[in-house]
Amino acid sequence: GYNETEAGVSFTSVLNAELQVGATVNIESIYADAKTQGLFVIKEVKFEGDTHGTPWYTKCLCLGEKQNGSQ
């Protein structure tokens, strides 16, 4: 899942320990008429579940740190 907010971008992925605060992620998303593309710095990470059950997600919030690209 992916959501763009006024402050930045939030997204959910499968459980991934490499997604940590301070990591840079490349987001390319086209949804309806909205397009977000560029490098973002993760500001908040929440892990849900574990590798032996469900759910097993990583939720990230990237606050206002778009490095390049355009919306």
Side-chain angles (χ1 to χ4, degrees), residues 17-62:
E18 292 184 18
L19 296 174
Q20 296 289 331
V21 171
T24 300
V25 292
N26 183 21
I27 296 177
E28 296 181 19
S29 177
I30 299 173
Y31 181 77
D33 292 332
K35 179 180 179 183
T36 298
Q37 183 176 10
L39 299 176
F40 294 79
V41 176
I42 297 174
K43 294 296 185 180
E44 182 179 304
V45 177
K46 180 179 179 184
F47 296 99
E48 291 185 6
D50 59 45
T51 59
H52 298 290
T54 57
W56 51 298
Y57 301 111
T58 304
K59 293 186 177 187
C60 297
L61 179 61
C62 306

